[in-house]
Amino acid sequence: MELRQLAYFVAVAEEGGFTRAAETLHVAQPGVSAQIRQLERELGQPLFDRSGRTVRLTAVGEAVLPYARAALRAVAGARQVVDELTGLLRGHVVMGGVSAPSVLNLPGLLAGFHELHPAVEITLKEAAPRAVADEVLAGRMDLGLLGVGPAVPPGLARQIVVRQPLVAAVSRDHPLAGRTGITLAELDGLVMLCLPLETGVRSSLEAGCAAAGFVPRVAFEASEPQVLAQLAAKGLGVAVLPESAVSIARDRLHVIEIIRPRLIGRMALVWRVEGQVGPAARALIEYARRALPDLEPAAELTG
């Protein structure tokens, strides 16, 4: 009986199937099935009922499961004790986020962490802001990077790492192309382009428009700011974007400062404030917080 077999057995039991277990373990599904069959042969009894549409534990599987979990916990505990004595950190960490601006140098951050802790496996996943927040809250991601509005969901802590003004960007032949500044109220009724509702940039726009007494007419949404900049350059409307996002099409865009009120876009690191956090995840959070800026929390709207 091997520890790998026990780990595969526990994963299949917890994920409810061989395919999902293989995805969680980052191995091929046939390999999981083969190891489980070998374990069943060694025990002389089937651990899973495969006759239905879903995989279920047999009575023997139910009885074996707590012992398998205990064995894996014992091994993990033994490794942790040794690692603490030798100063070596092991584990697997997951960071999720939206597309990060180049100023944050996310590849450099992860490379620096890997250099310090080479035995820690790092997974980086790109997802929508709401999905990142949910995954961090559920403990499936250890650290998130996303645009935020005035607050983050309960249960998350945050560190603002990017704070920049939002601007209006229009094509060179747009009626507003001669302007250098514009009030938010003057955008009432105009076709607008912006990030989706769950993003920090859109939250800032919606709050500003509400304070000005109107609902923005957002006709085009995209999760990539650069796509919105390109659409605005084609004359499809007024894009409201972070100042750094218009650089890709600046030669074809006219950028206008939004005044009264000034809109601010913010991006933050987020992590769980409750629940168990492993040593590797704690090390990643602490390293990222030291490596990235810690900007003073500020009001979403300023005069």
Side-chain angles (χ1 to χ4, degrees):
M1 187 179 302
E2 300 178 2
L3 287 173
R4 180 174 56 176
Q5 294 170 346
L6 296 180
Y8 288 7
F9 165 60
V10 171
V12 174
E14 292 180 346
E15 296 296 332
F18 289 86
T19 300
R20 288 195 296 273
E23 293 172 352
T24 301
L25 294 164
H26 306 290
V27 297
Q29 189 269 333
V32 175
S33 299
Q35 291 297 323
I36 296 298
R37 286 195 299 270
Q38 178 62 30
L39 180 59
E40 290 174 326
R41 282 195 294 268
E42 292 183 17
L43 293 173
Q45 294 290 333
L47 299 173
F48 293 101
D49 180 357
R50 303 169 175 81
S51 61
R53 297 181 62 183
T54 58
V55 176
R56 296 182 179 180
L57 286 166
T58 62
V60 172
E62 293 278 4
V64 171
L65 183 59
Y67 291 99
R69 284 174 170 157
L72 294 174
R73 284 195 300 268
V75 171
R79 285 176 176 163
Q80 183 174 338
V81 168
V82 173
D83 291 345
E84 288 173 352
L85 290 173
T86 60
L88 179 65
L89 188 65
R90 298 181 187 273
H92 177 216
V93 294
V94 180
M95 181 174 183
V98 297
S99 297
S102 58
V103 67
L104 291 182
N105 189 17
L106 187 58
L109 182 148
L110 296 178
F113 180 79
H114 175 69
E115 185 175 352
L116 283 177
H117 305 291
V120 176
E121 180 186 352
I122 306 171
T123 296
L124 179 63
K125 296 182 177 180
E126 187 170 324
R130 180 71 258 178
V132 171
D134 290 344
E135 291 289 286
V136 173
L137 279 170
R140 290 185 289 269
M141 289 181 180
D142 301 300
L143 185 64
L145 177 67
L146 67 159
V148 295
V152 295
L156 293 180
R158 74 180 183 187
Q159 174 176 315
I160 303 298
V161 295
V162 174
R163 183 177 184 271
Q164 59 180 308
L166 303 184
V167 296
V170 297
S171 62
R172 293 287 185 178
D173 58 356
H174 192 278
L176 295 177
R179 302 283 297 272
T180 59
I182 192 169
T183 66
L184 197 58
E186 291 179 277
L187 297 179
D188 185 8
L190 298 182
V191 174
M192 300 172 73
L193 303 82
C194 195
L195 273 68
L197 280 169
E198 60 184 14
T199 61
V201 168
R202 184 64 174 273
S203 296
S204 180
L205 174 63
E206 295 283 337
C209 292
F214 71 97
V215 176
R217 183 187 169 194
V218 178
F220 295 89
E221 291 184 354
S223 58
E224 291 289 342
Q226 292 82 0
V227 172
L228 295 173
Q230 292 170 341
L231 291 173
K234 296 290 187 182
L236 294 177
V238 182
V240 177
L241 297 167
E243 195 171 35
S244 62
V246 300
S247 59
I248 190 173
R250 187 174 286 275
D251 60 331
R252 291 173 288 141
L253 283 173
H254 178 75
V255 180
I256 309 169
E257 182 184 4
I258 298 176
I259 55 177
R260 298 195 310 272
R262 194 161 168 258
L263 302 182
I264 301 297
R266 295 179 295 173
M267 183 168 283
L269 286 176
V270 297
W271 61 92
R272 281 196 305 168
V273 295
E274 298 178 353
Q276 186 175 3
V277 178
R282 190 179 305 111
L284 174 63
I285 294 168
E286 292 173 356
Y287 180 85
R289 294 191 66 190
R290 290 193 306 269
L292 295 179
D294 185 0
L295 304 180
E296 185 76 19
E300 186 77 8
L301 305 175
T302 59

